[in-house]
Amino acid sequence: MACATNAISLSLSSNPNSKLSSDFIPKLNKPVNVYLRASTSAELNPGRLFLSRPIGLSRRICANATPVMDRSVGERSSSVPTIVEVDLGNRSYPIYIGSGLLDQHELLQKHVHGKKVLVVTNTTIAPLYLDKVVDALIKGNPNVSVENVILPDGEKYKNMETLMKVFDKAIESRLDRRCTFVALGGGVIGDMCGFAAAAFLRGVNFIQIPTTVMAQVDSSVGGKTGINHPLGKNLIGAFYQPQCVLIDTDTLNTLPDRELASGLAEVIKYGLIRDAEFFEWQEKNMAKLMARDPDAFAYAIKRSCENKAEVVSLDEKESGLRATLNLGHTFGHAIETGFGYGEWLHGEAVAAGTVMAVDMSYRLGWIDSSIVKRVNDILQRAKLPTAPPETMTVEMFKSVMAVDKKVADGLLRLILLKGPLGNCVFTGEYDRKALDDTLSAFCKS
């Protein structure tokens, strides 16, 4: 793909006939063919979505750079999961989305190729779902043995010391290269289990079973794995794709309200950077999402996964396009690192970071004030913060952002909005005064 030297622009446009009504939640009861097609022009304007019929979304969607026809469309039910494919050639994998999927043992078992499994989970999730996952792995499958390791819960434990507990258990259990690791939990567990799978015996299979909104709509998809360092978030890790992602939406029933709201920050992000119609749908349906409406959440998860899968299929290793998924994350990661891992949830920090990125975009003259207002309004309705902690200073932001993964040759590149809603750029070509002014506006010193 050709692009400008140091900038990437992104937008999503749809066939005019496919525009979603503001409160449309698809019931998936009418056949429809879905094509995902990406542009590769010099402007790098990927992610264009074309629907061959005006209403409905497919049960099975392949995200890649060429037109793909839907083949199986049925009525949504707990027994038939929606499947979104992440197209990475011979490393492609499905994302299963639906209610009651942990009771469908065949979904998990067909992705376990050896006889030994290690389930990695935490002290919060283990009492809720560990037995159910073990049952799903061994039911009618007596040749498989399942071990587990239960880690402490929280971002502050996403480090090398905790990661070693996974390796210790794997080695003690004499797991071999045909074993499968299973990540059962939120983003922290998924990131650490995936990184452990990438490193153990130089790579073993793993499966993602995300149990939080954050993990279901973002971190479990795309193969980013890793741990934090005291000087920066996610600085140690690897790109390593799972065999599948199994999203049982019933797991959200046990999710605390704060965790649920945190995950919505990533849902909102997709609308801002590449899917304006999805953002408009969120504005009309935020009350339903906050009330845990199952149809609304099923749609929000599916649409988010479609967006993530398409971007990952086009740019797996984040050479440019995939970086746009990090809107608000540079500011947000600085908050998490500076304020202390776990003090704010990841989505809370990303929400405040998104407001800062939008503020900077406005100061650069790249968006109009209506977008600034809409972003603030929707984040407030999602009960998310719209400013960093008062203890964050300009110097704290700058020192942490200086070691951000998107720094290249000493230049801090940022994801900023530019143009109409649903468009963004990944660039280091911006007026540094705008960054300074934004930091000064949100920090007391």
Side-chain angles (χ1 to χ4, degrees), residues 93-96 108 180-195 206-211 215 218-225 240-248:
Y93 56 92
I95 307 167
Y96 302 109
L108 276 180
T180 298
F181 286 11
V182 175
L184 173 63
V188 171
I189 287 295
D191 282 7
M192 286 201 296
C193 179
F195 188 32
F206 89 106
I207 292 169
Q208 289 270 18
I209 306 179
T211 60
D218 186 67
S219 63
S220 68
V221 178
K224 277 189 177 181
T225 72
Y240 196 68
Q241 301 297 338
Q243 297 298 299
C244 75
V245 179
L246 189 146
I247 299 173
D248 188 335

Side-chain angles (χ1 to χ4, degrees), residues 19-306:
K19 185 174 179 61
L20 298 171
S21 67
S22 60
D23 59 355
F24 170 61
I25 300 173
K27 298 298 183 181
L28 301 170
N29 58 1
K30 181 180 292 187
V32 58
N33 293 331
V34 175
Y35 301 84
L36 292 180
R37 186 172 71 216
S39 160
T40 55
S41 68
E43 292 295 320
L44 194 60
N45 193 16
R48 297 190 178 276
L49 178 69
F50 298 90
L51 297 181
S52 62
R53 295 187 189 176
I55 297 176
L57 291 170
S58 77
R59 300 285 289 159
R60 185 179 186 94
I61 297 173
C62 294
N64 60 18
T66 58
V68 179
M69 184 185 302
D70 165 68
R71 298 182 194 175
S72 58
V73 180
E75 197 158 298
R76 184 177 60 83
S77 71
S78 60
S79 62
V80 182
T82 296
I83 303 174
V84 176
E85 294 278 356
V86 181
D87 189 340
L88 293 169
N90 61 5
R91 291 175 299 106
S92 299
Y93 56 92
I95 307 167
Y96 302 109
I97 307 168
S99 171
L101 299 191
L102 289 179
D103 296 321
Q104 299 183 39
H105 60 274
E106 71 281 357
L107 287 180
L108 276 180
Q109 290 184 13
K110 69 182 180 181
H111 295 286
V112 175
H113 304 302
K115 295 182 179 181
K116 295 184 178 182
V117 177
L118 175 63
V119 179
V120 181
T121 188
N122 64 36
T123 53
T124 300
I125 297 300
L128 298 171
Y129 302 112
L130 178 57
D131 288 346
K132 182 174 284 236
V133 169
V134 172
D135 287 345
L137 289 164
I138 65 175
K139 186 174 181 180
N141 198 17
N143 293 326
V144 168
S145 64
V146 181
E147 302 287 346
N148 69 77
V149 57
I150 301 174
L151 306 177
D153 186 15
E155 186 78 32
K156 65 182 179 180
Y157 299 108
K158 188 180 172 181
N159 54 36
M160 189 66 74
E161 180 182 359
T162 306
L163 184 70
M164 284 299 157
K165 298 179 186 300
V166 181
F167 294 131
D168 290 345
K169 185 65 177 181
I171 296 169
E172 290 167 2
S173 302
R174 298 186 179 182
L175 301 188
D176 57 32
R177 281 182 169 167
R178 285 184 54 77
C179 75
T180 298
F181 286 11
V182 175
L184 173 63
V188 171
I189 287 295
D191 282 7
M192 286 201 296
C193 179
F195 188 32
F200 183 64
L201 303 180
R202 295 192 174 95
V204 298
N205 290 339
F206 89 106
I207 292 169
Q208 289 270 18
I209 306 179
T211 60
T212 66
V213 177
M214 174 67 66
Q216 291 179 359
V217 303
D218 186 67
S219 63
S220 68
V221 178
K224 277 189 177 181
T225 72
I227 57 174
N228 300 329
H229 186 278
L231 297 179
K233 184 176 170 70
N234 292 336
L235 295 182
I236 304 166
F239 289 97
Y240 196 68
Q241 301 297 338
Q243 297 298 299
C244 75
V245 179
L246 189 146
I247 299 173
D248 188 335
T249 54
D250 291 352
T251 59
L252 299 184
N253 295 335
T254 56
L255 191 66
D257 290 343
R258 185 183 175 193
E259 288 275 2
L260 183 134
S262 173
L264 290 176
E266 298 285 2
V267 176
I268 292 167
K269 168 197 72 179
Y270 292 116
L272 291 173
I273 64 170
R274 70 188 317 266
D275 195 344
E277 289 182 356
F278 186 28
F279 186 83
E280 292 164 2
W281 178 90
Q282 294 168 34
E283 289 180 309
K284 294 294 183 180
N285 289 277
M286 185 52 68
K288 292 181 179 179
L289 292 172
M290 297 300 289
R292 300 172 183 254
D293 180 276
D295 288 335
F297 249 109
Y299 176 63
I301 292 167
K302 182 177 69 66
R303 184 96 175 217
S304 297
C305 286
E306 289 166 4

Side-chain angles (χ1 to χ4, degrees), residues 268-269 271-274 276 279-280 283 327 354-363 365-380 386 416-424:
I268 292 167
K269 168 197 72 179
L272 291 173
I273 64 170
R274 70 188 317 266
F279 186 83
E280 292 164 2
E283 289 180 309
L327 175 70
T354 297
V355 173
M356 297 177 75
V358 169
D359 176 86
M360 183 174 166
S361 302
Y362 177 69
R363 291 177 187 275
W366 291 355
I367 59 173
D368 62 48
S369 60
S370 66
I371 294 179
V372 179
K373 183 179 185 306
R374 291 171 73 182
V375 170
N376 275 273
D377 287 349
I378 198 169
L379 290 172
Q380 289 173 7
T386 55
L416 301 167
L417 302 186
K418 189 172 186 178
L421 186 70
N423 293 267
C424 69

